Amino acid sequence: MAPRKSGRSSTAKILPFPSRPSRKDERRVLRLSPEYSGTCLLYAHHVLSRDKLFAIKILCWARLANGDTVALVPWLNGVSRCIDLDNPDSGQAMGYYDPHSEARFDQPPIQHVAALDALSEVLPPSSKGIAGAVVQEIPDNIGSHAALLIEQQQEFALEPVVSWRLDELGNMDAMVADMDRATQTPVLSRDDCLYPVREHPGFRYFFQYHIANQIKAGGVMAARAISQLIKT
């Protein structure tokens, strides 16, 4: 989560996303459009700093049941909509950031809105609401890792997330590979060796690739992450 200075910029002023209360079923995720250009979600986290904004890579864009289009990010041990991050002490969404152009904006990119419009027409939402019925599977393009405690060996492992599955109830599962069952590499989306990481009893958190690499390399960041995992 690389820090971004929140000082004045030549780009437009970034305002917090508007909070619009709605019923839970209206916020259900219906369709996904993978983020492929590295766009980040900017957020404030007062526990970490009151002077900076932080950036986290966006996993994908989602069409909600109420028609809104929002960004989704792996957050702690789940996936969060940007509109759910509304507490500055634990994470408050403050806009979007393109690291290539350094542009900041507060509306979903038009290409993802168009893609979700098209998906909604081609794959209209089902009214059956069958738990576990997969409606979409997208690859993980941001290097997400799942941290797993392996109690038998008294150690932990970082497993790369291969893909994410969306079911009819709007739930998303991170899929990791059981390499003992893998018959070919690289392991791709929909491979038979993939399983939902939530089924692993030692699953704790999601980390993006730069944090996962720091943990693998050791050092202060690794010590802090391991300490947090053990305490959970």
Side-chain angles (χ1 to χ4, degrees):
M1 295 175 284
R4 301 287 174 188
K5 293 183 179 179
S6 58
R8 211 173 244 193
S9 165
S10 59
T11 54
K13 182 179 180 181
I14 299 300
L15 299 177
F17 291 106
S19 59
R20 290 185 295 174
S22 60
R23 294 185 306 170
K24 183 177 179 179
D25 59 340
E26 293 178 337
R27 297 159 69 99
R28 180 166 60 97
V29 175
L30 299 181
R31 294 292 177 266
L32 307 173
S33 176
E35 172 54 42
Y36 43 77
S37 60
T39 302
C40 298
L41 176 71
L42 290 175
Y43 68 96
H45 198 306
H46 288 175
V47 172
L48 300 176
S49 174
R50 290 182 176 269
D51 301 320
K52 296 177 180 178
L53 294 181
F54 296 84
I56 183 171
K57 287 186 177 295
I58 291 171
L59 171 66
C60 60
W61 302 83
R63 177 61 48 81
L64 305 185
N66 65 2
D68 287 351
T69 298
V70 300
L72 300 185
V73 294
W75 191 267
L76 298 180
N77 61 354
V79 178
S80 289
R81 313 169 189 82
C82 64
I83 54 177
D84 294 334
L85 303 179
D86 57 5
N87 186 336
D89 290 326
S90 58
Q92 181 178 25
M94 299 295 289
Y96 304 120
Y97 173 73
D98 182 344
H100 303 295
S101 66
E102 298 189 348
R104 299 180 181 183
F105 51 99
D106 59 5
Q107 295 298 319
I110 57 174
Q111 66 270 26
H112 288 288
V113 174
L116 289 165
D117 287 342
L119 276 171
S120 298
E121 293 181 5
V122 175
L123 301 171
S126 169
S127 60
K128 296 179 181 179
I130 303 174
V134 178
V135 295
Q136 260 188 287
E137 183 168 354
I138 63 171
D140 183 283
N141 295 325
I142 59 175
S144 302
H145 281 66
L148 309 176
L149 279 179
I150 313 298
E151 294 185 1
Q152 297 90 333
Q153 289 84 22
Q154 293 297 307
E155 60 184 25
F156 80 99
L158 288 170
E159 295 291 338
V161 177
V162 176
S163 61
W164 298 80
R165 289 179 181 173
L166 172 70
D167 70 18
E168 283 203 356
L169 297 182
N171 302 313
M172 289 186 66
D173 274 322
M175 308 300 293
V176 297
D178 179 350
M179 295 309 296
D180 291 336
R181 297 173 51 210
T183 58
Q184 55 189 358
T185 57
V187 176
L188 304 177
S189 301
R190 299 182 184 275
D191 194 291
D192 289 339
C193 74
L194 295 179
Y195 70 93
V197 73
R198 61 178 169 79
E199 294 182 356
H200 193 292
F203 169 62
R204 290 297 182 269
Y205 295 113
F206 291 118
F207 290 112
Q208 291 204 347
Y209 76 100
H210 56 287
I211 300 296
N213 285 336
Q214 290 183 46
I215 294 174
K216 292 175 184 178
V220 176
M221 177 64 74
R224 289 176 179 172
I226 293 171
S227 176
Q228 183 62 45
L229 285 169
I230 293 174
K231 291 177 181 178
T232 302

